[in-house]
Amino acid sequence: MPNTVLDYINEHADEFFAQGAEAERIGRLTDKTVQLLKESGAMRMLQPADYGGYEFHPRDFAETVMRLASLDPAAGWVLGVCGVHPWQLAYNDRRVQEEVWGTDSSIWMASPYMPGGVLIPQDDGGYRFSGSWQFSSGTDHCDWVFLGAMMGNADGSMAQPPQMVHVIIPRTDYTIVDDSWNVVGLRGTGSKDLVIKGCRVPEYRTMSWEDVSGGDGQRRSDRTQTLYQMPWSNMFPLGITSATIGICEGLLRQASTYQANRIDANGVNVKDDPYTMFEFGEYMADLRAARRELIDNAQYFWDVTERGDTPTFAERAAGRATQVRAAWRAARAANEIYARCGGNALRMDQPMQRFWRDSQACIHHAIHATNTVYHAATLSSLGAEPAGPLRKMI
């Protein structure tokens, strides 16, 4: 199936690039960028066909996010985050799918999944819901949101054992805190805070974390396509890590253009400096490897899923370690490349500095935390069964 979304982005590459600086200035995606993205159908890439989606292969989604992020980091990041939400909604209760997509299949959904709220059971079978959340990327342009929460008791106390839940909420039920996104990198993503003060949530708009992470919710769904059986721990990070790699590739492109005719402080044409050329070559290879690692990893889980197998925890842990390593490999390569571009690369009129700041901000996302992921992957490879926090986001 041709990737028409990627074709559109390539055709409008100059327009996407031109919007990046303005997005940083205003602290959210520009209206022009949103218009272009909606025209491209990018947010529909993982959306089910019966609701106007394209059901693209995860590889196509990753490559599209990388390309967009290399042009406009904020737009690539928002697509990487919000573009996965239709995939998760696709195997939720059909009632909420109809609520979200029934009258407008082009709407966007935000997040985050951090458990910032508590669900209090009500007599009617639903819940009362309150809380606050940070880092809701692209939220100004979204009409629904996935939010992480903890299950509570009727008296307001926390349920035991602790149970994490994903909750789906319409825009009318939460408030965006407009002045809450003042950061050094990824400013254009508009990843603002959200607040809810006591909205009602029907039971069918919730998903237990166990159902999401273990795949039980998918297996109960009537969607049997390979796409909607893929493990959450592979699909959810895919967009974020793809955006990270794409931003780093954008920095490399800016640096290569900048270095092509640069004369260094010693009066030497950089192209004639074998040391810089060696180092550029090394880190360019790291970026290529990071891209290939991530795409091959997605393909591996696609193949496992397509033949009807369920990936083991050890396989999922190894996959997460690969994703995390790809992100850090790319961000470190971008940092090294930028460091070799001289003092004038620090000037604010150089797009390079924006790509560099954004690339380093990417690895601050919780999905790129190395400690528990590497620990769990290593233990699993030795035949042990990781427990507790070591199973987090795997």
Side-chain angles (χ1 to χ4, degrees):
M1 180 179 180
N3 189 341
T4 53
V5 177
L6 183 56
D7 290 342
Y8 181 97
I9 289 171
N10 284 328
E11 290 167 10
H12 296 268
D14 290 343
E15 293 174 83
F16 278 112
F17 177 76
Q19 297 301 308
E22 178 64 8
E24 177 168 76
R25 188 187 71 79
I26 64 176
R28 61 170 175 81
L29 296 188
T30 68
D31 293 341
K32 177 64 174 177
T33 296
V34 174
Q35 176 193 342
L36 289 169
L37 283 174
K38 289 196 171 184
E39 289 175 359
S40 75
M43 290 292 180
R44 298 173 183 256
M45 293 190 77
L46 303 179
Q47 192 163 313
D50 54 324
Y51 282 108
Y54 304 142
E55 297 188 13
F56 273 119
H57 193 294
R59 177 189 59 244
D60 293 318
F61 177 68
E63 290 175 340
T64 303
V65 171
M66 288 178 189
R67 175 57 173 156
L68 180 60
S70 76
L71 299 166
D72 179 351
W77 182 268
V78 171
L79 175 57
V81 173
C82 298
V84 177
H85 298 148
W87 170 82
Q88 184 174 348
L89 183 62
Y91 60 85
N92 205 298
D93 191 292
R94 284 280 183 165
R95 287 172 289 181
V96 70
Q97 293 180 49
E98 187 62 25
E99 283 182 333
V100 175
W101 287 321
T103 58
D104 182 2
S105 60
S106 70
I107 71 100
W108 293 8
M109 299 185 72
S111 41
Y113 294 94
M114 59 170 284
V118 179
L119 286 169
I120 304 299
Q122 303 294 294
D123 292 339
D124 62 3
Y127 302 96
R128 196 74 180 160
F129 190 38
S130 299
S132 61
W133 294 261
Q134 296 178 313
F135 308 116
S136 183
S137 296
T139 200
D140 287 303
H141 313 289
C142 297
D143 294 308
W144 286 76
V145 64
F146 271 104
L147 293 173
M150 300 303 294
M151 189 63 72
N153 297 312
D155 62 3
S157 62
M158 197 72 69
Q160 296 297 327
Q163 182 183 358
M164 184 175 167
V165 186
H166 288 181
V167 187
I168 303 170
I169 301 292
R171 178 67 183 86
T172 51
D173 286 350
Y174 60 90
T175 300
I176 298 172
V177 183
D178 282 329
D179 62 351
S180 56
W181 189 239
N182 185 19
V183 289
V184 71
L186 295 172
R187 283 183 60 86
T189 65
S191 302
K192 300 174 182 177
D193 295 0
L194 307 180
V195 175
I196 293 177
K197 296 181 179 179
C199 74
R200 182 189 177 279
V201 181
E203 188 278 335
Y204 66 82
R205 285 212 239 118
T206 67
M207 308 173 78
S208 77
W209 170 240
E210 288 75 15
D211 276 358
V212 173
S213 61
D216 291 340
Q218 291 158 282
R219 286 185 283 275
R220 286 199 300 267
S221 168
D222 58 356
R223 298 193 186 276
T224 58
Q225 303 97 310
T226 300
L227 176 61
Y228 302 118
Q229 298 298 312
M230 289 280 285
W232 189 89
S233 62
N234 184 260
M235 290 295 295
F236 169 67
L238 183 62
I240 296 170
T241 307
S242 296
T244 301
I245 293 170
I247 293 168
C248 296
E249 290 176 334
L251 184 146
L252 172 61
R253 187 179 65 251
Q254 296 293 321
S256 297
T257 300
Y258 179 72
Q259 295 279 45
N261 299 303
R262 176 173 164 246
I263 307 299
D264 68 17
N266 297 314
V268 175
N269 190 314
V270 170
K271 288 186 291 188
D272 296 327
D273 176 1
Y275 305 106
T276 300
M277 292 298 96
F278 173 88
E279 289 164 333
F280 254 64
E282 180 180 8
Y283 299 120
M284 288 168 68
D286 274 343
L287 273 178
R288 288 193 298 271
R291 165 183 275 262
R292 181 50 50 200
E293 281 179 320
L294 189 68
I295 293 173
D296 286 353
N297 192 55
Q299 183 66 54
Y300 171 81
F301 282 96
W302 177 275
D303 292 343
V304 170
T305 305
E306 189 166 52
R307 65 176 180 256
D309 295 337
T310 300
T312 65
F313 179 87
E315 287 175 312
R316 300 200 319 257
R320 285 287 297 119
T322 298
Q323 290 172 326
V324 170
R325 180 61 180 168
W328 279 83
R329 191 174 194 174
R332 285 168 172 164
N335 194 42
E336 296 291 348
I337 288 167
Y338 185 61
R340 285 157 179 82
C341 288
N344 282 316
L346 298 170
R347 298 188 183 279
M348 295 301 287
D349 61 357
Q350 285 289 347
M352 235 187 311
Q353 50 79 25
R354 174 164 51 88
F355 279 79
W356 173 67
R357 286 185 287 109
D358 289 352
S359 72
Q360 302 309 300
C362 290
I363 55 174
H364 288 256
H365 193 286
I367 210 69
H368 291 149
T370 58
N371 45 14
T372 55
V373 170
Y374 287 168
H375 190 176
T378 305
L379 281 179
S380 296
S381 74
L382 299 177
E385 186 68 24
L390 293 181
R391 303 184 78 84
K392 182 180 177 183
M393 288 192 276
I394 294 174

